[in-house]
Amino acid sequence: MAPALDHGRPPAPKSALSRLKARAGGRRGRLRAAVMAGALLAGVTSVAAGGAPAAAATRYNDDPTQYWNRVLLQTFRNARGWDASPGKLSRSGAMVFAAVYNAESAYQNTYATLKYEPYLNRPLKYVGGPARPGPDAQERVIDRTAYRMISQLYPGDRAYIDAKYRARTGRSPYAYDPLDRQIVDRVLRQINRSRVGDGSNNPARYHGNTTTPGAWRPTGGADCTKKTDAVTPNWGKVRPFVLRSGSQFRPPTLRGFTDYADLVASPEYARQREEVRRLGAVDSTVRTYEQTVIGWFWDHDLDGTYHPPGQLLELTGIVAKRFRLDTYNTTRLFAQSALSLADAGIAAWDSKFDTPIRLWRPVSAIHAAGDLSWEPLSADRAGRPFTPCFPAWTSGHANFTGAWAGAMRHFFNRDDVSFIAHSEDPHTLQRFRLMRNFSQVAQEGEFSRLYLGVHFRWDAEDGRQIGTDVSDYVSTHALLPIRPGRPHHQ
């Protein structure tokens, strides 16, 4: 693990209590619940995206990485189709925050205060920069880098991104800034060159087996009616950011099964199908209120939300504020979490599409067993049953939350950190939820999909393990403290 930061224990949560009304979610006429309002710790700064400083500001009143994270999350909400897939969003996050971290590293390297290896271990320095930094040089280099990388990734949101730049800096994003030539151009070239030909633009559709019992098949809804609707089926082949390959931590098989007939005939499969049938049904009588809360809190499958990668990047910002990290460490925390999320997404899709078993979803399994009226709790905005359009094993949510929790544990060298998490899912029963440690995020994310009726238990358990393994590798192979006397490669 990385050495513990010298911040002591994080400040205690504020003591004010506020009551949040819980909205009852679910299908009209099927899910009957009167949800009691719950007392929840509050008093934290709002995490809603889009809160900009006063226009034409001349003094910064927010951490620059936090500011641009909120801008990035709005582009996530605006994304549609494959651009809104978890893999594509997590790749964008990694590119933005790797670039921001490397720009900040160049600032630190130029003025002899570099403490950690940059991403790709290629420290840069300003070209022709001043002998001493100006009063806003650190802010400007992050602003320029984040603005340009987000604009490159989301050109359709350029007007919005331009407006956020003006609101933060009081300047036009098109005005000349010598930092572009001195460092920002070079940082963007460095990150972009590392991603050329990474496989992220592979347009190939899925044409695999969708008829054998146990094999994934479309789960219905407007966007999942045929096999070629499967979302980003080649994402597991994308070149990772830190891992050696997307299959690096892939289990050899799904619990030893390599044949669909053996799988669906096994007692363990029958137990897992029955478990999700009972727990994940829209009208379940055994799922507890707390399990329903967890299911919806971590969902974010629907367009218009910031999706699972966005929720976890928002949590990264919440934790950074909790520890009152300085600008340098904030950029490093965002980079470490974003790189872990991106590689976890690749590893998740590798297990979904590049293994012998491309497992069907619970709704397909339960209907095939004869219960044709069964519906999952998971629903779209209109209340219609909804299951994501790709195989079940392993769970992407469990991969992502496992990777995020691992990245946090490594960065702070501890797990026992409490903070308030936030959800913007349209069905959520709680907008804010107290997390008592990082592992709680991984555990709730792991089983949230079982409670929603879209994953089996082994999807959740194996997904979390892969995500944890990914974060362990990323955290011990990237952005490490600089060793005394170790030469840097210019």
Side-chain angles (χ1 to χ4, degrees):
M1 289 187 178
L5 293 176
D6 187 18
H7 294 292
R9 296 188 65 85
K14 296 184 180 180
S15 60
L17 294 177
S18 65
R19 292 193 171 274
L20 301 175
K21 292 183 178 180
R23 297 188 294 110
R27 204 87 10 84
R28 291 189 180 97
R30 294 291 306 272
L31 182 61
R32 306 187 307 271
V35 181
M36 299 170 58
L40 188 66
L41 284 171
V44 297
T45 303
S46 172
V47 291
T58 56
R59 291 183 180 273
Y60 302 107
N61 58 7
D62 189 12
D63 178 271
T65 308
Q66 296 272 18
Y67 181 89
W68 289 105
N69 183 53
R70 293 196 295 273
V71 174
L72 179 66
L73 298 192
Q74 186 57 46
T75 68
F76 285 9
R77 296 184 187 97
N78 296 343
R80 294 293 184 270
W82 280 18
D83 288 338
S85 65
K88 292 219 172 221
L89 296 179
S90 59
R91 176 183 182 270
S92 293
M95 290 183 68
V96 169
F97 293 116
V100 165
Y101 173 71
N102 276 10
E104 171 67 12
S105 297
Y107 171 88
Q108 300 290 337
N109 195 34
T110 298
Y111 301 111
T113 51
L114 187 69
K115 297 178 181 178
Y116 304 98
E117 295 175 350
Y119 175 59
L120 304 174
N121 195 25
R122 298 172 187 171
L124 301 173
K125 285 186 178 181
Y126 287 20
V127 174
R132 294 183 179 180
D136 63 348
Q138 189 177 25
E139 299 275 353
R140 281 170 50 218
V141 75
I142 293 176
D143 287 339
R144 292 300 303 165
T145 303
Y147 163 77
R148 289 184 55 190
M149 182 58 82
I150 298 173
S151 298
Q152 168 193 306
L153 292 167
Y154 296 98
D157 290 318
R158 191 63 176 264
Y160 163 74
I161 301 165
D162 285 358
K164 299 305 286 185
Y165 184 89
R166 290 188 180 93
R168 175 166 174 77
T169 68
R171 297 185 290 269
S172 167
Y174 305 105
Y176 171 75
D177 192 317
L179 284 177
D180 284 343
R181 176 185 57 82
Q182 291 168 356
I183 193 60
V184 177
D185 291 344
R186 297 163 64 210
V187 167
L188 265 61
R189 283 197 300 270
Q190 183 186 51
I191 300 301
N192 287 333
R193 285 172 179 170
S194 74
R195 303 314 302 170
V196 170
D198 67 356
S200 59
N201 291 322
N202 189 334
R205 300 284 176 169
Y206 185 67
H207 295 284
N209 172 16
T210 58
T211 58
T212 299
W216 178 82
R217 69 276 321 274
T219 49
D223 300 321
C224 197
T225 60
K226 53 188 182 298
K227 67 171 67 176
T228 53
D229 290 336
V231 176
T232 58
N234 299 290
W235 199 259
K237 298 180 177 68
V238 171
R239 184 171 66 249
F241 284 79
V242 181
L243 299 186
R244 295 190 301 271
S245 73
S247 62
Q248 184 171 339
F249 296 110
R250 180 207 298 171
T253 63
L254 194 170
R255 304 298 174 93
F257 294 105
T258 58
D259 177 80
Y260 288 114
D262 291 341
L263 171 71
V264 299
S266 69
E268 179 58 23
Y269 168 80
R271 283 192 293 270
Q272 295 213 14
R273 183 187 61 200
E274 177 62 13
E275 179 183 36
V276 70
R277 187 191 71 80
R278 296 173 67 245
L279 267 181
V282 63
D283 52 359
S284 172
T285 59
V286 298
R287 184 181 57 247
T288 67
Y289 170 72
E290 177 72 358
Q291 289 170 334
T292 304
V293 168
I294 290 171
W296 287 127
F297 189 87
W298 299 102
D299 189 21
H300 298 97
D301 275 328
L302 304 180
D303 284 346
T305 70
Y306 46 30
H307 298 276
Q311 183 179 33
L312 294 170
L313 288 174
E314 182 184 64
L315 286 188
T316 300
I318 290 171
V319 172
K321 287 183 179 179
R322 189 88 168 79
F323 277 90
R324 299 173 184 163
L325 297 185
D326 61 18
T327 299
Y328 188 11
N329 276 301
T330 296
T331 66
R332 189 167 66 94
L333 180 63
F334 268 98
Q336 187 162 317
S337 61
L339 291 168
S340 296
L341 292 175
D343 279 1
I346 295 168
W349 258 248
D350 168 84
S351 63
K352 287 179 182 294
F353 285 99
D354 297 322
T355 54
I357 301 293
R358 300 167 185 180
L359 187 63
W360 60 7
R361 291 282 182 163
V363 64
S364 302
I366 294 167
H367 286 182
D371 189 350
L372 298 179
S373 65
W374 188 88
E375 293 178 0
L377 175 63
S378 177
D380 64 15
R381 291 180 184 273
R384 295 180 294 261
F386 174 80
T387 295
C389 199
F390 37 80
W393 188 79
T394 58
S395 165
H397 275 65
N399 269 274
F400 284 125
T401 52
W404 183 88
M408 294 298 112
R409 287 194 299 268
H410 277 282
F411 188 94
F412 295 105
N413 203 21
R414 57 187 292 189
D415 189 39
D416 60 330
V417 175
S418 63
F419 54 95
I420 303 294
H422 172 248
S423 174
E424 66 176 30
D425 190 88
H427 299 290
T428 190
L429 305 180
Q430 292 180 351
R431 289 189 62 218
F432 299 97
R433 183 167 174 79
L434 175 64
M435 298 288 108
R436 300 190 181 279
N437 47 60
F438 297 132
S439 293
Q440 184 179 346
V441 173
Q443 182 176 8
E444 292 193 3
E446 176 182 5
F447 291 110
S448 64
R449 312 298 282 166
L450 174 64
Y451 305 147
L452 286 177
V454 297
H455 274 293
F456 302 96
R457 177 172 290 271
W458 49 31
D459 306 340
E461 293 174 345
D462 294 353
R464 178 178 176 178
Q465 186 60 57
I466 292 173
T468 301
D469 290 343
V470 167
S471 68
D472 288 348
Y473 187 87
V474 170
S475 299
T476 55
H477 288 77
L479 320 189
L480 301 177
I482 292 173
R483 300 174 188 173
R486 180 176 179 175
H488 301 312
H489 305 287
Q490 295 288 355

